[in-house]
Amino acid sequence: MMLKDKVAENGIYETLKTLSGMGFNAVEISQLDMSEENVAAMEKAIQDFGINICSLSAYTQQIHPSFPVDSFDLHYDKIISDAKRLNVEYLRIGMLPFSMFGDAEKVVQFAKEMDKWGEKLSAEGIKLFYHNHHLEFDKVDGKSYFDMLLENTNPKNIGFEIDVHWIQRSGLNPVTVIESLEGRAELVHLKDFRIATPDPEAMMGALAKGDMSVFFNAIQFAEIGEGNLDFKAIIEACERTGVKYLPIEQDDTYGRDPFESLQISMDNLKALGFSEYF
């Protein structure tokens, strides 16, 4: 997802070649057209560079006519074929369909449907995981949507890919959440949480007009080590609880080349003592 513009410009093979040359040895594929051309290019990158495609995006059903995707209900055999061709162990669902927020019954129904797909996939040797954002931690009658997903899925069928930035944005502690999901969170997204102070003149001008949005909306995604999250504690929690992959993701690099952002994150992780991961 972070490099989709690079893929559009240079192709998936060259993008993976660059990542491998930087020292990254595992990649998660998201928001990429799983065409025959792209799947074949990923196969070649695996063969040529030894890069590991650790996970692919998955959908239980179509999201919206404007955004066609490979989904279990329509393309199950193709999804399995792609995963096996690329030696992928994990499929991950990006988030709840927007239409389900606000309706606890729909969320529970989605969890049960997801669980059935997870059970079916497990017979193929593939694990199905759910990736969180912050909205899943809104509560209905004291229970969060995330709790509903946990309670209505079998740990044998469904795991959770924890995104530490979105956990922080939800008001929870990423370390505590990772520890609470020991055995169910084998994938953890690393991305930092930065407070970006607005330009003083712009802020004063906006405030003079009664616009407080520049003050309230100062949260940004950030390269690891450039924000406020405690990544030493986060990664040590991952090590204690059996996490297998730590994909670095940054939803917005704010004009910086994403390869540069990845290099900054890598360098900062090495400085924290995690050089062995590269």
Side-chain angles (χ1 to χ4, degrees):
M1 180 277 291
M2 184 177 174
L3 294 169
K4 60 185 176 182
D5 289 343
K6 295 292 186 182
V7 172
E9 180 182 353
N10 303 315
I12 185 62
Y13 180 85
E14 289 299 324
T15 302
L16 292 174
K17 181 179 180 180
T18 299
L19 287 172
S20 178
M22 292 173 68
F24 290 99
N25 50 54
V27 177
E28 180 178 79
I29 301 296
S30 178
Q31 298 184 27
L32 176 68
D33 180 14
M34 294 297 289
S35 64
E36 174 57 31
E37 179 183 4
N38 281 338
V39 174
M42 285 186 272
E43 280 186 300
K44 183 169 172 41
I46 292 169
Q47 186 176 41
D48 291 354
F49 315 128
I51 202 157
N52 176 359
I53 308 296
C54 67
S55 59
L56 300 173
S57 286
Y59 303 87
T60 59
Q61 56 189 299
Q62 293 298 297
I63 300 172
H64 191 273
S66 65
F67 185 59
V69 295
D70 289 344
S71 59
F72 294 142
D73 59 343
L74 299 178
H75 312 99
Y76 182 80
D77 290 341
K78 178 187 182 302
I79 293 169
I80 295 299
S81 173
D82 290 345
K84 291 192 174 182
R85 285 174 65 181
L86 300 173
N87 300 316
V88 170
E89 183 181 359
Y90 300 96
L91 296 175
R92 37 87 66 185
I93 294 172
M95 72 178 298
L96 278 168
F98 287 120
S99 61
M100 294 183 180
F101 286 103
D103 191 325
E105 289 186 7
K106 285 185 178 180
V107 173
V108 170
Q109 181 182 353
F110 174 83
K112 292 179 178 178
E113 178 186 1
M114 183 171 63
D115 191 76
K116 290 178 181 178
W117 287 117
E119 183 177 18
K120 187 173 183 179
L121 287 164
S122 66
E124 302 283 351
I126 297 170
K127 298 178 180 180
L128 183 59
F129 275 52
Y130 179 88
H131 169 276
N132 72 274
H133 289 82
H134 56 340
L135 297 180
E136 292 90 345
F137 296 92
D138 189 12
K139 293 182 178 180
V140 176
D141 295 331
K143 182 175 291 187
S144 72
Y145 299 119
F146 193 81
D147 288 336
M148 296 175 198
L149 296 177
L150 276 173
E151 293 172 7
N152 290 280
T153 53
N154 188 325
K156 293 180 180 179
N157 301 332
I158 299 296
F160 289 86
E161 180 177 50
I162 297 304
D163 187 306
V164 298
H165 172 99
W166 291 111
I167 292 291
Q168 180 72 24
R169 196 177 285 211
S170 76
L172 299 175
N173 183 335
V175 171
T176 302
V177 172
I178 290 166
E179 290 177 337
S180 73
L181 291 169
E182 182 170 0
R184 294 195 79 174
E186 297 178 32
L187 305 170
V188 170
H189 270 179
L190 302 184
K191 89 179 57 151
D192 217 332
F193 182 99
R194 175 172 60 210
I195 303 301
T197 304
D199 174 77
E201 288 189 15
M203 182 159 57
M204 292 302 294
L207 294 177
K209 298 175 184 177
D211 180 8
M212 292 290 290
S213 64
V214 292
F215 178 79
F216 291 127
N217 301 325
I219 296 171
Q220 288 188 351
F221 306 101
E223 293 79 12
I224 293 168
E226 302 299 305
N228 295 325
L229 291 181
D230 184 349
F231 278 97
K232 190 171 190 302
I234 287 169
I235 295 175
E236 287 174 351
C238 291
E239 292 173 334
R240 290 194 301 272
T241 57
V243 172
K244 305 297 184 185
Y245 290 100
L246 299 167
I248 296 169
E249 184 185 63
Q250 192 173 333
D251 300 53
D252 194 335
T253 61
Y254 309 99
R256 175 176 276 158
D257 186 285
F259 284 130
E260 182 184 354
S261 290
L262 285 169
Q263 187 66 58
I264 291 169
S265 290
M266 176 190 283
D267 291 344
N268 287 342
L269 283 169
K270 287 180 177 180
L272 285 173
F274 299 107
S275 296
E276 70 274 16
Y277 286 105
F278 301 98

